Amino acid sequence: MSYSVNISVEAPTENQIQEITYDGTEIYQPPLTLSESLAKYAQKIDFSKTSEVEIKKEESNEDSKSDTDSKDAFQSSLWPWDSVRNKLRNTLQEVCVLADVLAIAKDKRYLVLDPVQQEPLETKPMVQIYARKKALAGAASVLLAGSEKMKNSQNEAARSRTTLDFHIELLRLRQNWRLKKVSNTIIGDLSYRTTGSKYLQTGTFEVTKAEDEEKVTSPPSSPLPGGPAPVKPTSALRVSIPSELQGVAYIEVLCQKDQEDLCTANLTLLGSGPPPSNPDMHWQQKLEAAQNVLFCKELFNQLAKEAVQLQAPIPHMVVGNQIMATVLPGIQLIIALRHSTSSDKKQQNPPPSKSDHDHVLEHSLHQLLREVHHKNTHHPFPHPATGPLGPSKKRMLAGPTAADRYELLEMTKTQTLLEQIVQQAQHFIMRMRTEYVLDTIAKEVKDPLITSHWNTLNSPTQSCVKIHISTHGYDAVCRTPLIIHVGEKSLKCICRDGKVMNMSYEPQELRDLIFCHINQHQILAVQALAKTMGWQALGNSNHLGTGTVEPLGNASSCLLSSPTGDRIIAVRCEPSDTQVSVAHSPRQDFFPSRLVTERKWEHLGGQFRDVRLDKMEGRNFLHKMELLMASLTSSS
Amino acid sequence: MSTPGNAMDSLSAALKCNIIPNQEYLLQGSVLDQYVEVLLHRLRGLCDNVDSGPETFHDHEICFSLRIPNSGATTSMPMSVFSLRVRRAIDVTDTPFQLRYIGQQELGDKNRPTVVRSSIDMACSSSIIEFLNELGCRIDFEYIARGYMFRKGRMKITVSKIFKMGSNKQESVEPISQSYIVELSVLAPSGQDSIGEDMRIFAEQLRPLVQLEKIDYKRLSNMM
């Protein structure tokens, strides 16, 4: 109170506010004109003060002007308002009469008041409704406009935060996904319909605006949602995906030997908890995951349908969401749809099966279905252009080339996805088996070296391996090439001499063939070596009919004679071991007997004696043979 | 098993079941050369599978006509003319020739959105021309059509330029006009009139660029 502050009070220069509308705009009164202000002051006059007598007196003294100055001023200024005054006076008169009547009526002796039947007011209900409607609509529009303004300001505030604008997000969504507006909701479609899928399940999702409350609750640690930048910007857009498309799905493909653990695997994986709504996931990932689920479902559905329809020698089995097909005797292909709806469950249970999930086959399954989709939409265009859409070029040519019934039937045949994947699995197994056989033989057999070159370019159902059999240090002398085409259920081997051998899926057959070729290689190599040493090959046989019976294949053999012809070497190769025998031509132990008397018969050659190869020096068989031939040549 | 009689039976059964697409629903229009790019652009936006660019075609069509003297001997129509079209693709060599019969077009009333005409076509070998000549057909006219084709579902849209055949068969071809003919057609079994509505909607989408309409040839000839 000690501070004295000068306050000056002034009348506001601006006009008075007549009305403030609900949206806050102010409507000002127009400034008063002189006459209006006069009327305003006139209203301030208290007429009740002036009694009838006074008025009468005023009337009588109109010209006298005997009143006070103020009164005089008032009177003079009132003159233009004479009519008003008269009316007021009349009113007063009437009121006085009324008061008198009421006073008389109060006595109830001379006057009685009876209620008069009032004429009913004509109300038109429709008019009233319209009027009310109009009034309500006016009020509603004001409210709506106000709320719109508030929303805008809130959006403004939201934008200044980390949240992205809903419409910008929607625009981004629209760039990658199909959206359409149905009444007040935005519906999207993530199915593969437009790319040729004919799967019936719909992939619709709904796009909504993320509410503010949720944003506040989702990061509970941050006290102020509007505070300085949370780490992760929350999206202003929310997509709601049907529950059957939530979660993570994939197609598991296993190649299993025998029936080890068929029932255990899928039960653990399928125990899915309640679908968790992961709010942190961005809508793009969410939609992609859902689309993947849909794709996997379609793929599995298609495969299951085919598995039931196909007439396989060993029928395919469809149990739950698992398809089992027999690829080769004893080997099953298991295709399972794994759909886990919880995202954290994945770490808990890695697939417990021993044989690993085959990513390559899974990928090719995806590829196959996409091919089907592509074919559904990419029909060939007819040439010439007036031709019908639809039939393939082959079909179009069937008429002019007079295709028969068989050819036409062939045209209608298409391989199902399951057949194709079974073929691929068969090939995969065959390739693995072939690899295994070649590797084990290369490990077992050290003497001729076996090298295999796999072609890098191959198709899903065909590959090719080239095998070289050669001896270390002598690969210039002799080398046996073999080419093996690995198919789906068979092997085709093209031998050195151009012979084609067809084999079944049994790995033992390939093993036998390779061993047979090892023997032949040894014999051929010895002959080639002999040629370079000046020895003479007397004869050879790839399939020797004599001697002990081999467990597989036949032994090969050859006979070599020294340059002078006095020494003969016999070589017999069989998978188990190699025998080498030597004979001297003028036999050293010739004794004339009673049957063979003459000395000349000693040149026929004597008994073959075995050479103990394992005791000989030399790195390998050919080296030993070279040393043997050299020693025999020099001694002559 | 499949004797000729059997084949005829199955053909007539197929006809009865109405599975043979022998009705062509057609809308036609034309666009000037300088605006065809815009139209192609629009078509690429509307049609299926144009990621690899529009499919081009280059065809040669010969129209043969066979005059059959009327046995009825009415003076007004002494001859009935029966025309057949042979079309071959020039750019794709291993495709068959196409023999095509196009029937009288029915314009219908205002409610029918497209022209409907019966159309029967079949693939045949190159000897068809000789065969027709042997039958007594004579070449009425021939032309070369070159352009683009699109598809949208069952609909086929061709945008083609028509060239007059020069005297020298290979080299000299001259365009007939300064515009492209645009055709929207569907081949369907008879009675499937709903496709006409689809075509009308599609034609509506091409509206400012090209006016696809039912063209009345009779009126055209009267105008000339």
Side-chain angles (χ1 to χ4, degrees):
Chain A
M1 290 301 257
S2 56
Y3 303 106
S4 61
V5 179
N6 296 326
I7 300 170
S8 54
V9 180
E10 287 176 13
T13 49
E14 58 188 39
N15 296 317
Q16 262 190 329
I17 293 163
Q18 185 188 18
E19 190 186 356
I20 299 174
T21 54
Y22 293 112
D23 53 354
T25 49
E26 295 167 348
I27 298 172
Y28 295 102
Q29 262 180 352
L32 294 173
T33 58
L34 264 179
S35 59
E36 274 173 340
S37 59
L38 185 68
K40 188 180 156 196
Y41 288 127
Q43 278 168 12
K44 286 184 180 171
I45 300 165
D46 193 356
F47 284 102
S48 60
K49 264 187 186 171
T50 50
S51 63
E52 205 180 356
V53 189
E54 275 176 324
I55 293 167
K56 286 268 163 63
K57 198 172 83 184
E58 278 168 27
E59 267 182 330
S60 58
N61 302 340
E62 261 176 359
D63 299 323
S64 65
K65 297 179 185 175
S66 61
D67 280 321
T68 56
D69 283 353
S70 63
K71 193 101 178 180
D72 185 46
F74 169 72
Q75 288 281 354
S76 62
S77 65
L78 204 66
W79 281 123
W81 293 78
D82 197 27
S83 62
V84 175
R85 197 198 59 178
N86 288 342
K87 272 182 192 160
L88 282 172
R89 203 179 56 190
N90 291 343
T91 316
L92 187 64
Q93 255 174 5
E94 277 169 23
V95 169
C96 289
V97 170
L98 184 65
D100 289 345
V101 169
L102 282 175
I104 295 163
K106 233 169 101 185
D107 272 349
K108 292 184 181 173
R109 255 189 291 172
Y110 312 104
L111 199 69
V112 177
L113 292 179
D114 273 338
V116 180
Q117 190 65 41
Q118 214 170 18
E119 213 171 287
L121 230 158
E122 205 176 322
T123 54
K124 288 176 185 161
M126 280 320 286
V127 172
Q128 267 185 341
I129 283 174
Y130 280 131
R132 262 178 219 165
K133 214 170 165 184
K134 200 174 170 189
L136 283 175
S141 72
V142 169
L143 285 174
L144 279 177
S147 73
E148 195 64 36
K149 264 187 189 169
M150 277 163 79
K151 247 186 221 168
N152 282 348
S153 67
Q154 205 171 23
N155 277 358
E156 206 76 41
R159 203 172 301 152
S160 64
R161 273 185 266 160
T162 53
T163 338
L164 295 162
D165 184 34
F166 173 72
H167 293 98
I168 300 271
E169 290 270 291
L170 195 63
L171 184 71
R172 282 198 200 131
L173 186 72
R174 180 77 182 76
Q175 279 166 354
N176 292 322
W177 303 91
R178 283 158 54 82
L179 297 178
K180 66 178 172 193
K181 195 156 181 273
V182 179
S183 66
N184 269 334
T185 51
I186 304 170
I187 301 286
D189 185 13
L190 48 76
S191 72
Y192 283 91
R193 291 278 170 75
T194 47
T195 57
S197 164
K198 285 174 180 162
Y199 191 44
L200 288 176
Q201 189 173 340
T202 55
T204 51
F205 61 92
E206 196 186 332
V207 181
T208 48
K209 207 166 171 177
E211 282 100 27
D212 248 352
E213 303 87 64
E214 205 197 11
K215 276 184 242 155
V216 178
T217 50
S218 62
S221 53
S222 67
L224 271 174
V231 188
K232 203 172 169 190
T234 48
S235 169
L237 195 145
R238 218 173 38 173
V239 289
S240 35
I241 291 161
S243 59
E244 66 265 21
L245 293 182
Q246 277 171 354
V248 180
Y250 66 101
I251 298 277
E252 192 179 36
V253 187
L254 301 173
C255 283
Q256 239 180 18
K257 229 183 201 177
D258 299 330
Q259 315 200 333
E260 283 161 354
D261 44 359
L262 291 184
C263 310
T264 52
N266 64 345
L267 287 177
T268 48
L269 265 173
L270 276 176
S272 54
S277 57
N278 195 347
D280 299 336
M281 206 146 81
H282 192 251
W283 47 262
Q284 179 70 21
Q285 289 145 13
K286 221 166 155 184
L287 288 177
E288 275 169 11
Q291 198 170 34
N292 183 46
V293 172
L294 188 70
F295 187 82
C296 287
K297 278 189 161 186
E298 181 182 354
L299 182 55
F300 189 80
N301 196 354
Q302 178 72 23
L303 287 172
K305 218 189 290 167
E306 289 170 4
V308 174
Q309 281 170 357
L310 271 184
Q311 303 287 330
I314 301 170
H316 307 303
M317 288 209 307
V318 183
V319 183
N321 36 6
Q322 182 164 301
I323 301 169
M324 208 163 68
T326 306
V327 177
L328 291 171
I331 292 179
Q332 271 100 24
L333 175 72
I334 293 175
I335 302 168
L337 173 68
R338 302 280 184 240
H339 187 183
S340 62
T341 37
S342 65
S343 53
D344 51 352
K345 200 132 189 178
K346 254 199 332 198
Q347 287 105 38
Q348 288 175 13
N349 38 20
S353 48
K354 286 158 201 134
S355 40
D356 280 3
H357 165 56
D358 195 326
H359 292 279
V360 176
L361 286 181
E362 188 200 0
H363 178 256
S364 44
L365 265 178
H366 280 239
Q367 218 172 14
L368 287 173
L369 185 60
R370 285 191 200 268
E371 245 168 60
V372 170
H373 286 178
H374 187 265
K375 260 186 213 154
N376 281 347
T377 49
H378 289 71
H379 296 291
F381 277 100
H383 282 283
T386 48
L389 275 175
S392 65
K393 201 163 143 190
K394 233 167 144 190
R395 260 290 286 290
M396 294 292 291
L397 276 168
T401 55
D404 55 12
R405 185 186 159 83
Y406 172 76
E407 281 173 69
L408 284 169
L409 279 178
E410 279 297 296
M411 276 176 211
T412 59
K413 273 181 197 159
T414 48
Q415 271 191 319
T416 58
L417 291 187
L418 190 65
E419 277 174 323
Q420 291 180 59
I421 200 68
V422 163
Q423 279 176 357
Q424 292 193 13
Q426 281 170 342
H427 173 72
F428 171 71
I429 301 275
M430 287 302 287
R431 208 173 55 220
M432 242 175 34
R433 280 183 175 175
T434 312
E435 269 169 32
Y436 178 75
V437 166
L438 291 177
D439 286 355
T440 46
I441 291 178
K443 234 187 289 175
E444 278 172 32
V445 179
K446 288 278 159 48
D447 193 347
L449 298 174
I450 295 167
T451 46
S452 43
H453 303 278
W454 286 90
N455 272 8
T456 45
L457 292 175
N458 55 3
S459 83
T461 54
Q462 203 170 40
S463 51
C464 183
V465 56
K466 190 163 187 183
I467 300 168
H468 277 295
I469 306 174
S470 62
T471 311
H472 179 61
Y474 295 88
D475 39 4
V477 174
C478 184
R479 184 195 298 214
T480 304
L482 286 175
I483 291 172
I484 298 174
H485 291 279
V486 183
E488 290 142 23
K489 267 180 126 170
S490 62
L491 294 176
K492 191 166 84 177
C493 176
I494 299 163
C495 305
R496 178 199 167 107
D497 49 0
K499 260 189 236 161
V500 177
M501 311 286 247
N502 286 307
M503 286 168 283
S504 77
Y505 49 82
E506 287 295 340
Q508 190 61 40
E509 291 181 20
L510 177 66
R511 205 179 149 81
D512 292 354
L513 184 84
I514 301 278
F515 273 114
C516 181
H517 274 277
I518 289 173
N519 295 341
Q520 287 182 12
H521 167 79
Q522 297 286 52
I523 296 299
L524 286 172
V526 165
Q527 290 181 62
L529 184 68
K531 217 173 271 171
T532 59
M533 309 264 307
W535 283 56
Q536 219 179 348
L538 295 178
N540 72 324
S541 166
N542 281 338
H543 300 284
L544 200 62
T546 59
T548 51
V549 177
E550 292 298 319
L552 41 98
N554 290 318
S556 323
S557 74
C558 71
L559 216 58
L560 308 167
S561 79
S562 66
T564 51
D566 57 343
R567 302 281 196 280
I568 291 173
I569 299 177
V571 185
R572 177 193 163 94
C573 270
E574 49 193 67
S576 44
D577 66 332
T578 310
Q579 294 170 358
V580 178
S581 316
V582 179
H584 288 252
S585 180
R587 53 194 295 177
Q588 287 148 347
D589 51 349
F590 184 80
F591 301 107
S593 63
R594 251 192 290 163
L595 278 172
V596 186
T597 50
E598 286 179 61
R599 188 85 192 165
K600 64 175 179 183
W601 294 114
E602 72 175 1
H603 291 284
L604 269 179
Q607 294 281 325
F608 278 96
R609 283 175 300 170
D610 281 356
V611 176
R612 291 173 67 180
L613 274 183
D614 51 334
K615 298 284 183 199
M616 274 190 69
E617 268 191 54
R619 284 194 303 272
N620 48 37
F621 171 70
L622 277 191
H623 194 210
K624 284 174 184 177
M625 288 304 292
E626 189 184 358
L627 291 177
L628 179 68
M629 281 191 262
S631 66
L632 288 176
T633 312
S634 64
S635 70
S636 62
Chain B
M1 185 158 158
S2 57
T3 57
N6 235 341
M8 277 309 288
D9 286 349
S10 51
L11 188 64
S12 55
L15 268 174
K16 223 174 271 171
C17 295
N18 222 354
I19 55 166
I20 298 179
N22 56 2
Q23 296 289 315
E24 189 182 31
Y25 295 75
L26 182 72
L27 285 175
Q28 287 173 315
S30 88
V31 62
L32 285 174
D33 280 353
Q34 61 258 46
Y35 303 119
V36 77
E37 282 301 321
V38 188
L39 176 68
L40 290 179
H41 204 79
R42 179 94 182 111
L43 281 170
R44 285 188 68 164
L46 290 172
C47 294
D48 297 342
N49 310 124
V50 273
D51 37 355
S52 54
E55 178 91 0
T56 57
F57 68 90
H58 187 185
D59 293 346
H60 176 206
E61 180 162 328
I62 307 172
C63 185
F64 287 90
S65 61
L66 184 65
R67 285 163 206 283
I68 305 165
N70 243 343
S71 54
T74 47
T75 48
S76 61
M77 270 181 66
M79 300 278 235
S80 67
V81 179
F82 177 78
S83 62
L84 285 169
R85 289 149 191 268
V86 176
R87 195 164 174 135
R88 73 184 171 102
I90 296 174
D91 51 347
V92 186
T93 47
D94 57 342
T95 51
F97 281 45
Q98 191 199 28
L99 176 65
R100 191 162 187 232
Y101 163 76
I102 297 174
Q104 235 2 286
Q105 59 174 3
E106 302 166 29
L107 279 170
D109 54 353
K110 266 213 151 112
N111 296 328
R112 181 180 270 178
T114 65
V115 166
V116 180
R117 59 188 192 186
S118 68
S119 156
I120 296 168
D121 63 286
M122 65 203 64
C124 47
S125 62
S126 57
S127 54
I128 184 68
I129 294 176
E130 281 171 50
F131 178 73
L132 288 177
N133 274 325
E134 291 294 320
L135 270 184
C137 299
R138 291 292 165 259
I139 292 180
D140 215 352
F141 56 86
E142 59 183 320
Y143 63 87
I144 282 181
R146 197 191 301 174
Y148 307 92
M149 54 182 153
F150 298 86
R151 59 178 289 264
K152 166 88 179 166
R154 297 160 70 187
M155 288 181 268
K156 184 168 66 184
I157 302 99
T158 55
V159 179
S160 46
K161 183 107 184 141
I162 308 290
F163 295 92
K164 211 186 284 178
M165 290 292 290
S167 52
N168 187 353
K169 286 264 173 181
Q170 286 306 313
E171 297 303 317
S172 59
V173 287
E174 49 179 304
I176 275 178
S177 66
Q178 301 292 308
S179 57
Y180 277 78
I181 179 167
V182 184
E183 285 181 306
L184 171 61
S185 69
V186 174
L187 212 59
S190 58
Q192 295 198 354
D193 289 337
S194 60
I195 188 71
E197 196 54 30
D198 294 348
M199 289 169 69
R200 191 186 61 76
I201 290 165
F202 188 81
E204 203 67 37
Q205 290 177 327
L206 294 175
R207 203 21 104 85
L209 299 172
V210 61
Q211 204 98 353
L212 290 177
E213 283 171 341
K214 302 196 280 184
I215 307 283
D216 190 354
Y217 292 120
K218 279 181 219 149
R219 221 169 41 190
L220 274 183
S221 58
N222 286 345
M223 272 159 64
M224 286 169 188

